[in-house]
Amino acid sequence: MITLTIIGFGNISQHLVREFSNSKTVKLVQVFTRNENATFNPQNFNFVHQFSNLIKTDVTIIAVSDNAIAEVSDAIPFENTLVLHTSGGIALSGLNPKNRRGVLYPLQTFSKNKSISFNGIPICVEAENESDLAIIKKIANSISKKVFDIDTTQRKSLHVAAVFVCNFVNHLYKIGSDICNEHQVPFTILQPLITETANKTLQLSPHDAQTGPAKRKDFEVISSHLKFLKNSDNKHIYEMLTQSIIQNG
Amino acid sequence: MITLTIIGFGNISQHLVREFSNSKTVKLVQVFTRNENATFNPQNFNFVHQFSNLIKTDVTIIAVSDNAIAEVSDAIPFENTLVLHTSGGIALSGLNPKNRRGVLYPLQTFSKNKSISFNGIPICVEAENESDLAIIKKIANSISKKVFDIDTTQRKSLHVAAVFVCNFVNHLYKIGSDICNEHQVPFTILQPLITETANKTLQLSPHDAQTGPAKRKDFEVISSHLKFLKNSDNKHIYEMLTQSIIQNG
């Protein structure tokens, strides 16, 4: 078994703790968190609250916010173990070189109140050498069927693209929901449309899947929609995305 | 059986023709199209190419582009039959009052190369009186389990909201796909994220579901993403949607 430390007990970290608690490949030894009241059920590992109390393990996964990764990797009290971060936006070189460095980036949106099966989540892996890459792949394959070799620049491009297809998309859902609420229409009426739009990407390229007034250059409908929108922010978003569809297809 | 005429043989119309060809409630008598070479398989109705050749039926569904609806409703050679349009953006009053007027608006994105089951598609209905509304509901219920009473203003709000959650969302998928292509990353890596983001709306409000750098006000990541984006259009979209998330949650 590969012995494992997880540092951080936030959103992604708790999902990882759940996965590795049941692993036959990895023995989760300890979880580091500043929060002295942290609990987890079932708990078959130790909570550690000070870096000096960490026991040396084969692998450490740093699952903290991007801007804390460098500091945490400096604070790890071991050398020459394998230390991974889980961030899409941070380079491999963002980790302290006193340990062997790698990345295990699960590309998914994690919410605390929605459970998710790791099995279908793409995990992007990177390491400094082949033997470390093999260890990371072994760990990644133990929780997901979709493991990809992705270098730092590619991972960054995925992270940026993910903001467009997840965070920005979700914000458009929010605007749609606000417009429904304003007119006493249940947002659930839009759910089949949301699902079908997402499912289309499995069969058609987004370019081929496009429909609607901007794609048809139907300026009459576009201008009636702009008149209908009262919120100036939403009006601006409507104008800009319409322009972008007209210009880029 | 309710006898039916469908006018138009475009995208939505062909989906409706397919549905009503198999109906036990509705007898599709004829389909009007300017295209004299139109074919449909199996074809158990007549194609008609001139308005003067239309046979009078109980109901006529006008499924043409928004800007042709008024003209087509003028050209119908009957009076006092029930005439419906299928548009989200056109008022009930957009139809010629020589016939009884109604709306049957299927709220979905239809692509010619992707089949879809009508059963789960929300259909928004409206009429001028209760007896016509009952007929329209009978027709709508024969192809879908989700039929909603929606007035003209509510329908317009749904149409505008649909542009945000479908057309604009699809455009963000396209930008994500372009970014992946540019860096030789398969777009399929983003598919589970796209699906999960859409599925989340079934359990969480879009406001509660939001994640990512804008939600966290992580200005370091935001500025590194803006530096990474070379396309000025995408950069502008990134800035504006980030701003909107920060301001409106």
Side-chain angles (χ1 to χ4, degrees):
Chain A
M1 297 264 275
I2 301 166
T3 56
L4 176 68
T5 300
I6 291 181
I7 297 186
F9 198 55
N11 205 348
I12 294 182
S13 170
Q14 290 187 30
H15 283 277
L16 289 173
V17 168
R18 192 168 309 281
E19 290 301 312
F20 289 119
S21 285
N22 303 315
S23 174
K24 283 168 186 159
T25 310
V26 170
K27 165 76 189 145
L28 177 59
V29 175
Q30 56 200 345
V31 174
F32 177 94
T33 170
R34 298 276 184 208
N35 174 6
E36 304 214 346
N37 301 315
T39 57
F40 194 81
N41 190 12
Q43 187 194 322
N44 44 14
F45 56 84
N46 292 320
F47 275 115
V48 176
H49 308 292
Q50 303 221 356
F51 282 106
S52 57
N53 290 340
L54 284 171
I55 297 162
K56 189 169 184 169
T57 55
D58 300 326
V59 178
T60 301
I61 298 180
I62 301 178
V64 300
S65 60
D66 283 7
N67 53 16
I69 289 173
E71 189 190 333
V72 165
S73 86
D74 291 346
I76 291 175
F78 329 128
E79 293 189 4
N80 198 32
T81 67
L82 184 54
V83 172
L84 319 179
H85 72 64
T86 59
S87 165
I90 301 291
L92 188 72
S93 57
L95 294 167
N96 188 314
K98 70 183 174 183
N99 283 288
R100 286 144 38 223
R101 302 177 288 189
V103 178
L104 182 147
Y105 169 48
L107 207 171
Q108 189 50 281
T109 169
F110 298 96
S111 291
K112 279 199 176 147
N113 297 322
K114 184 169 186 311
S115 68
I116 187 163
S117 151
F118 247 82
N119 219 352
I121 295 180
I123 298 189
C124 304
V125 297
E126 185 181 7
E128 290 181 289
N129 60 61
E130 284 302 318
S131 63
D132 285 341
L133 191 62
I135 298 171
I136 300 172
K137 282 186 177 175
K138 203 170 165 185
I139 296 173
N141 280 317
S142 78
I143 56 172
S144 168
K145 285 180 183 157
K146 297 182 177 172
V147 178
F148 296 88
D149 280 304
I150 294 289
D151 70 25
T152 289
T153 306
Q154 289 178 314
R155 192 172 62 253
K156 179 93 171 211
S157 76
L158 275 171
H159 195 234
V160 175
V163 169
F164 281 90
V165 307
C166 171
N167 309 147
F168 291 168
V169 159
N170 185 72
H171 189 59
L172 298 182
Y173 295 159
K174 179 181 178 293
I175 293 172
S177 159
D178 289 346
I179 293 170
C180 285
N181 290 341
E182 204 181 314
H183 295 89
Q184 289 86 48
V185 175
F187 180 56
T188 49
I189 299 191
L190 290 172
Q191 225 103 43
L193 180 66
I194 286 172
T195 306
E196 172 68 8
T197 304
N199 286 347
K200 265 192 184 179
T201 62
L202 300 168
Q203 285 186 39
L204 301 174
S205 76
H207 179 267
D208 292 340
Q210 192 57 287
T211 58
K215 159 87 167 193
R216 295 194 307 270
K217 297 190 174 59
D218 189 335
F219 296 108
E220 214 166 313
V221 170
I222 291 166
S223 103
S224 86
H225 283 184
L226 286 169
K227 251 179 237 153
F228 190 84
L229 287 166
K230 298 289 166 256
N231 178 310
S232 67
D233 204 27
N234 295 350
K235 210 188 269 274
H236 187 194
I237 290 171
Y238 189 105
E239 274 172 335
M240 207 192 46
L241 290 173
T242 293
Q243 226 23 60
S244 182
I245 292 172
I246 290 173
Q247 277 162 16
N248 310 308
Chain B
M1 297 263 278
I2 300 165
T3 57
L4 176 68
T5 301
I6 291 180
I7 297 187
F9 198 56
N11 205 348
I12 293 181
S13 169
Q14 290 187 31
H15 283 278
L16 289 174
V17 169
R18 193 168 307 281
E19 290 301 313
F20 289 118
S21 286
N22 303 316
S23 173
K24 284 171 185 155
T25 310
V26 171
K27 164 74 189 146
L28 177 60
V29 174
Q30 56 200 344
V31 173
F32 177 94
T33 169
R34 298 277 185 207
N35 175 8
E36 304 215 346
N37 301 314
T39 56
F40 195 82
N41 191 10
Q43 188 195 319
N44 45 14
F45 57 83
N46 292 320
F47 276 115
V48 176
H49 308 293
Q50 304 220 356
F51 283 107
S52 57
N53 291 341
L54 284 172
I55 296 163
K56 189 168 183 169
T57 55
D58 300 326
V59 178
T60 301
I61 297 180
I62 300 177
V64 300
S65 60
D66 284 6
N67 52 16
I69 289 172
E71 190 190 331
V72 165
S73 84
D74 291 346
I76 291 175
F78 328 127
E79 294 188 4
N80 197 31
T81 66
L82 183 54
V83 173
L84 319 178
H85 72 64
T86 58
S87 165
I90 301 292
L92 187 72
S93 58
L95 294 167
N96 187 313
K98 69 183 174 183
N99 282 289
R100 284 142 41 222
R101 300 176 291 189
V103 178
L104 184 147
Y105 169 48
L107 207 171
Q108 191 46 283
T109 168
F110 297 97
S111 292
K112 278 200 177 146
N113 297 320
K114 184 169 186 311
S115 67
I116 187 164
S117 152
F118 247 83
N119 219 350
I121 296 179
I123 298 188
C124 304
V125 297
E126 185 182 8
E128 291 181 287
N129 60 61
E130 284 301 321
S131 63
D132 284 342
L133 191 62
I135 298 172
I136 301 171
K137 282 186 176 174
K138 202 168 166 189
I139 297 173
N141 280 317
S142 77
I143 57 173
S144 168
K145 285 181 184 155
K146 296 182 178 172
V147 178
F148 296 89
D149 279 304
I150 294 289
D151 70 26
T152 289
T153 305
Q154 288 177 315
R155 193 171 62 253
K156 180 91 170 210
S157 78
L158 275 170
H159 195 233
V160 174
V163 169
F164 281 90
V165 306
C166 171
N167 308 146
F168 291 167
V169 159
N170 185 72
H171 190 58
L172 298 182
Y173 295 160
K174 181 182 176 293
I175 293 173
S177 160
D178 289 347
I179 293 169
C180 284
N181 290 341
E182 203 182 314
H183 295 89
Q184 289 86 49
V185 175
F187 180 56
T188 48
I189 299 190
L190 290 173
Q191 225 102 43
L193 180 64
I194 287 173
T195 306
E196 172 68 7
T197 305
N199 286 347
K200 264 190 185 181
T201 62
L202 301 169
Q203 286 186 38
L204 301 174
S205 77
H207 179 268
D208 292 341
Q210 191 58 286
T211 58
K215 159 90 169 192
R216 294 193 309 269
K217 296 190 174 61
D218 188 335
F219 296 108
E220 213 166 312
V221 170
I222 291 166
S223 103
S224 86
H225 283 184
L226 285 169
K227 251 180 235 151
F228 190 83
L229 286 166
K230 297 290 166 255
N231 179 310
S232 66
D233 203 29
N234 294 349
K235 210 188 269 274
H236 187 194
I237 290 170
Y238 189 105
E239 275 172 335
M240 209 192 45
L241 289 173
T242 293
Q243 225 25 59
S244 182
I245 293 172
I246 290 173
Q247 277 161 17
N248 310 308

